[in-house]
Each structure stands twice: as C-alpha cells, then as structure tokens.
Amino acid sequence: MPYPMSSPAETTQALAAHAERVAALRRPGALAHTAAAVDLVETHLSSLLMAGEHVYKLKKPVVLGFVDFSTLAARREACEEELRLNRRTAARWYLGVVPVVMGADGPRLDGPGPVLDWAVHMRRFDDTQRYDRLASQGRLAAQHIDPLVAAVHRFHAHLPPAPPGHGRADGVRHWARENLAELAPLLHNPREATLLAALAGWTEARGAELAPLMELRRLTGHVRECHGDLHLANIAWVDEAPLLFDALEFNETLRHLDTIGELAFTFMDLLAHGQPRLGWRFLSGALEASGDHEALPLLAWHAVYRALVRAKVALLPAVAAPPPGGPGTVADAQPASTPAQALASRYLQLAAELAGLVPAPQGLPRPMLLLCGGVSGAGKSTVAGWLAERWGAVRVRSDVERKRLHGLAPTARPVSAAELYGAEATRRTYQRLQEVAALALSAGESIVVDAACLRRDERLAMQALARRHGAAYRLVWCEAPLPVMRQRLVARLAEGRDPSDATPEVLAWQMGIAEWPAADEEPTLWRVSTDRPLPALLQHCEALATSTRADGAAEEALS
C-alpha cells in the first residue's frame, strides 16, 4: 500500500537537517578513505557524495506515495537492502554500509559517536559511460545492446520465483493507478492533462483485459525479485561490459515484478532516448534468449506504465528539495524546471504512442508480419534483423525455436540431424513460429519471422495468419548466387556462433526441393538480392521500407 505523506512542515524540517548534514560531510577530513574534494549529486531520493574513487549515498528523509525514508531505521534498512540487491549484478562496486556519526568536530563517516544517518559506500566508475549519456551523444550501439541482453538474461534466469503474494494482478494495477494519481497534479499543460486522462482510461481497461494473464504468469514463476528500475541511467559500460546498478531498494513490492515488466522498462527507455532500433534489438534479443514470447501481450501495458513512472520522476526533484517554508508533498508540488517538463512531456508522448492513442512517428502500418524466407545462406537472418529494428518489430528465428523445442541451446549441434530436421520436427517448428506471430499480432505488435519457408503451404499459412489478425503482410524473399551462399555456410560453420546447422550439402538439397514463390504471391513479395556489401544491402531494404510507408495503395495491398 502507498505510504502516507509527511506534512509539508515535517518534510521541510527533515530535509533541512539532511542538507546541513550533507554539507558538513563535504568538509575536509569528514569522509573516510579520501582527502579529495567532495562533489554533490542529488536525486529526488538521495544525496551522493563523490570523493575521488569513492561514492557515499545518503537517503533523503522523504515520504512519498511509494517510499518512506522518514526514520533512521528505515534509511539504514534501505541502505542494507541496496547493498544486498546490487551485489547481485555489481558486487565489485558496492562495498558496504557505513554510519554517519557525530564526531568531535561535527558529522563524519565511521568512528565513535552517536549515529546520525547511514550511507552506502560504493566504488566510483566513469559515469560518462552510462547508457543514457551514450544514447544522448549518439554513441550507444549494438555492441552495447547485445551484451546487455545477455547480462539481463543471466540475471533473470538465476532468480527464483517470488514469494506468494507478490506480483498479483490487482497489486500491479493498483500501483499503476497510484502513479497516475501522483503524476496528474504535476502536469500544468491542459493538453497533457487530457492525454493523461486518456492514458488512465486505457491503463484501466487494458489492465482488466490482461489481469488473467498477469495472474497466470505469477503462478507459473515469472514474477521475480528483479532489478526494478532498469532504465538507461542505471546501466553503464564498464570494463567492456554492461554494469547494472542502483536496483530499486525502497519498496519490495515494486521490485518483485514480471520479468517482461523489467524488459519493457529498458525497451521503453531506449525509445525515449531516440534509439528505437536499439530498443527493438534489445527486446527481440531478450525474448529470443528466454523464449518467453507468451509475455508479448503484456509488453505495451508495462511499457506505458514505466514511461509514466519516468514522467513523474522527472518532475519530482522540486518535491524532494523544497525551498524554506515550501511544500513537501507531490500534491502540493510547484511546476518543475523547463528541462524537467520537457523530459516529462517526452515520456508522456511516448506512453500515448505505445498505447496506440496517438500515431507513432514512423507512420508504418501496424501491426505487420514480415516473413523473411529463402534457402540457407541467402542472407535472410541479416535482412530479418535489420527489418525488425527498422520496422519496430520482434524477430523470431526458426533455427533458435527448433532447437528450443528439443531442449538445445541455440549454438548446440544436434547428435541426430534426422530427429531435429525431420518432417515432424519441422511441423512443430513452424507451428511454434505461427504461435509467436499470433501472440505478437494479437497484441498489436509487428513480427518478423526468419525462416526458410521453402514450402508454399508454410508461406500461405503465415499470410493467412496475418489476414486473420488484420495485419499487413510481406514476403521478403532473400536471394544470392549459389557460390556466395556456399561460401557463407562454410564460413559460418567454421565460426560456430550461429544457430544454423546448414551445410553446403543441405543447401544443395534445399535447392532441389524448394517451392519458389509463385505468381499469386507476387503482390506481397519483396525480392532482396543480398549479394552486395552490407551498407548497400541495408540501403536497398530502406528504400523498400520507405516506398511501403509512402505509398498508401501499397499499404492497402499489404492487408
């Protein structure tokens, strides 16, 4: 349940005492381990003292609807929880919890004297390498996203299911309502207030529809004690790997969430930072790693919720540090600064786009099913991956799903190729691809299916699936000269990093049995020759995408 608010007078007095204590800790000699100059960084919940290679983080004595740091005991407990939680993903960087004591010459860290407060002691890293800053500078790239996918997957995979009671559908929906209620009085723009009201209605209605699925996932172990606050500012590129830090320590209910809620937070924030292609790359990779495509119907709801959380947080600093005699509650907050308002507006707009209440900026038909087919070595995985990022879609690969159905890792090589690639295994694989596509399309999300689809009935089944869901459809048929495809297969097998097991012999067999696209498939067919340098290939695909977006008649033909 939400915490009761402190009175404005109580909040102002407590924050004033906190500010005095923090100022005293910045004097020479007050911090252990270092004599370096002390810089101060403030958030809506914490004060961070940055001293050389060390960081000391104190909780602000605030009470908001979702957090209570009003007492010394509560702040100590929060510090200890922060240490425990972050040592799961950043053990080298979280060193301990230390007391702030009243020494002979004033507040200091550690040593004898009455305890005034508690602080988390951390090692300092280069915060210019935070993902939000890399994104704002245009430096965030696939080389940062793919390791992040792997890191988040490892983290989630080792978490046990949450204790009973956490992640209940009614509780999740309650916190979404509370967030909306806390955000509403912070908005002073009539258009944004109207948009928020529409989002509140959508959140309530869609949440009711999804409640049975939320409950099913809770009962089947998908609710876990996650990071809880995995936006880009809490991820950094350190030692050539992603570092997940600053997990949500102050409310156990909020961090015990469905893993799709965690993925949706990072996905949403990539979109908010102007990196939609990386957002879809992250989401596709995360779902491919886990195989948890059944969570797709929950994606938009959780992403909208998280976007509105970030909108609220953008406006909270004015609440956590009120002027003397000023307000101390969310309800009484003063208008935030122009940059904060702009940031909140960006998240609010994104929430409306994710909910489908306003058109997305790319203007592409949604939802859409793109089927990338062709023989092995034709380049369809490269094209499929690019189109998924460009179109804003989830990608699903037959090579990965086929092995998942047999309990194999993507790059594991089968003992019996006949068992893995026989008629029954292939039927089950395509049935699974259709199930994933249906999950995406029914949730209003686009899907790119990466599969050979050498049989006509396999392709027509996908086309019919798109039609049943009212989705646009394209068959993207990848082609290349035979010597090029053979060379690709040999090189790929030598590297051993691709899920495909295809050999030149498999390619020869495929060429003999393939049912090539017929004349009646031409209206929805893109032929993509992949025998060109990658930049030229992607430019060609971009031209196809642009022509589809611009040509209204073509969009009608896709349906």
Side-chain angles (χ1 to χ4, degrees):
M1 295 298 293
Y3 300 107
M5 297 289 194
S6 298
S7 71
E10 290 173 331
T11 300
T12 300
Q13 184 177 8
L15 284 169
H18 172 85
E20 290 177 4
R21 191 171 301 140
V22 167
L25 289 173
R26 298 182 69 187
R27 75 186 191 283
L31 296 183
H33 308 296
T34 180
V38 179
D39 296 323
L40 174 64
V41 174
E42 295 197 70
T43 72
H44 61 291
L45 294 180
S46 303
S47 296
L48 292 91
L49 298 168
M50 323 288 282
E53 297 181 356
H54 300 269
V55 179
Y56 298 92
K57 181 178 179 183
L58 285 76
K59 312 296 182 185
K60 290 182 176 179
V62 295
V63 183
L64 302 174
F66 52 92
V67 61
D68 182 357
F69 287 161
S70 60
T71 67
L72 178 63
R75 294 194 295 277
R76 179 179 186 176
E77 181 181 358
C79 287
E80 291 172 345
E81 275 291 84
E82 180 168 352
L83 182 69
R84 177 184 72 84
L85 293 166
N86 286 288
R87 280 186 166 173
R88 300 177 301 173
T89 59
R92 286 182 53 224
W93 303 92
Y94 281 77
L95 303 178
V97 175
V98 295
V100 178
V101 301
M102 177 56 77
D105 55 350
R108 61 179 299 109
L109 284 178
D110 250 339
V115 175
L116 304 174
D117 218 327
W118 296 88
V120 179
H121 180 200
M122 297 174 281
R123 287 180 60 209
R124 190 174 184 178
F125 57 81
D126 181 3
D127 65 357
T128 66
Q129 299 303 301
R130 283 185 352 208
Y131 274 38
D132 60 326
R133 295 184 174 178
L134 295 175
S136 66
Q137 297 165 9
R139 296 193 293 131
L140 195 65
Q143 70 189 49
H144 303 105
I145 296 301
D146 295 346
L148 177 62
V149 167
V152 173
H153 175 63
R154 286 194 304 271
F155 174 51
H156 284 175
H158 286 89
L159 296 174
H166 285 297
R168 296 178 62 91
D170 55 355
V172 176
R173 295 172 62 203
H174 168 79
W175 283 106
R177 290 189 204 105
E178 287 295 317
N179 184 68
L180 285 158
E182 292 164 359
L183 176 57
L186 300 176
L187 300 177
H188 300 275
N189 181 311
R191 176 190 172 275
E192 292 178 350
T194 300
L195 198 57
L196 187 67
L199 282 163
W202 179 89
T203 297
E204 191 65 30
R206 185 62 177 149
E209 294 173 0
L210 294 171
L213 178 57
M214 292 179 182
E215 278 296 295
L216 175 62
R217 290 181 60 79
R218 179 180 70 85
L219 295 172
T220 51
H222 292 282
V223 173
R224 300 170 191 176
E225 188 178 37
C226 295
H227 180 284
D229 202 21
L230 202 57
H231 55 84
L232 298 194
N234 288 341
I235 308 167
W237 187 250
V238 179
D239 297 336
E240 299 301 311
L243 176 70
L244 315 183
F245 67 99
D246 204 16
L248 192 153
E249 85 287 1
F250 52 79
N251 188 310
E252 67 172 356
T253 300
L254 293 178
R255 69 173 174 267
H256 281 89
L257 70 154
D258 193 318
T259 52
I260 190 62
E262 184 118 290
L263 299 179
F265 205 166
T266 311
F267 162 72
M268 177 283 301
D269 214 29
L270 284 163
L271 269 58
H273 282 81
Q275 302 293 329
R277 296 189 183 188
L278 295 182
W280 287 102
R281 186 184 186 99
F282 170 80
L283 182 67
S284 286
L287 292 177
E288 181 175 291
S290 67
D292 189 21
H293 295 94
E294 276 69 20
L296 273 169
L298 294 168
L299 173 66
W301 192 90
H302 279 286
V304 168
Y305 171 30
R306 296 300 180 175
L308 295 174
V309 166
R310 295 305 293 165
K312 179 184 71 177
V313 168
L315 300 172
L316 280 181
V319 178
T329 69
V330 171
D332 296 328
Q334 296 298 311
S337 66
T338 299
Q341 289 175 335
L343 182 59
S345 294
R346 187 199 315 167
Y347 280 112
L348 188 64
Q349 178 69 21
L350 176 60
E353 292 170 7
L354 290 165
L357 300 178
V358 299
Q362 62 264 38
L364 295 169
R366 296 189 67 83
M368 185 173 193
L369 192 158
L370 290 170
L371 175 58
C372 282
V375 295
S376 297
K380 57 185 176 295
S381 291
T382 297
V383 172
W386 187 91
L387 287 173
E389 295 176 24
R390 169 64 181 82
W391 225 279
V394 174
R395 180 179 70 163
V396 60
R397 295 198 285 178
S398 62
D399 290 324
V400 174
E401 299 309 313
R402 182 187 297 270
K403 290 185 176 179
R404 198 189 315 276
L405 288 170
H406 287 79
L408 296 175
T411 56
R413 300 306 169 201
V415 175
S416 171
E419 179 182 355
L420 195 62
Y421 292 95
E424 175 58 18
T426 297
R427 183 196 66 78
R428 290 176 59 208
T429 299
Y430 278 88
Q431 179 181 2
R432 177 57 182 165
L433 295 177
Q434 291 175 28
E435 290 171 356
V436 173
L439 284 166
L441 297 178
S442 63
E445 306 295 348
S446 293
I447 183 89
V448 176
V449 178
D450 173 2
C453 278
L454 300 180
R455 291 167 51 98
R456 173 180 167 85
D457 62 337
E458 294 165 349
R459 301 191 295 270
L460 294 183
M462 287 291 181
Q463 185 175 18
L465 177 68
R467 187 179 299 114
R468 286 196 301 274
H469 287 85
Y473 170 82
R474 276 289 192 191
L475 170 60
V476 184
W477 194 256
C478 298
E479 301 171 320
L482 192 57
V484 171
M485 294 191 290
R486 288 192 187 118
Q487 184 179 20
R488 287 173 178 169
L489 294 179
V490 170
R492 193 164 68 189
L493 288 169
E495 289 178 358
R497 295 182 298 178
D498 193 273
S500 174
D501 299 316
T503 64
E505 292 73 24
V506 169
L507 172 60
W509 173 78
Q510 289 178 337
M511 295 293 291
I513 61 95
E515 299 173 0
W516 309 107
D520 62 343
E521 295 180 82
E522 287 291 335
T524 59
L525 178 66
W526 281 350
R527 292 187 183 274
V528 178
S529 175
T530 64
D531 181 27
R532 61 186 79 190
L534 185 58
L537 171 61
L538 299 184
Q539 185 177 15
H540 174 59
C541 292
E542 177 69 33
L544 292 172
T546 301
S547 67
T548 299
R549 178 182 57 199
D551 186 350
E555 290 186 9
E556 289 184 9
L558 297 178
S559 300

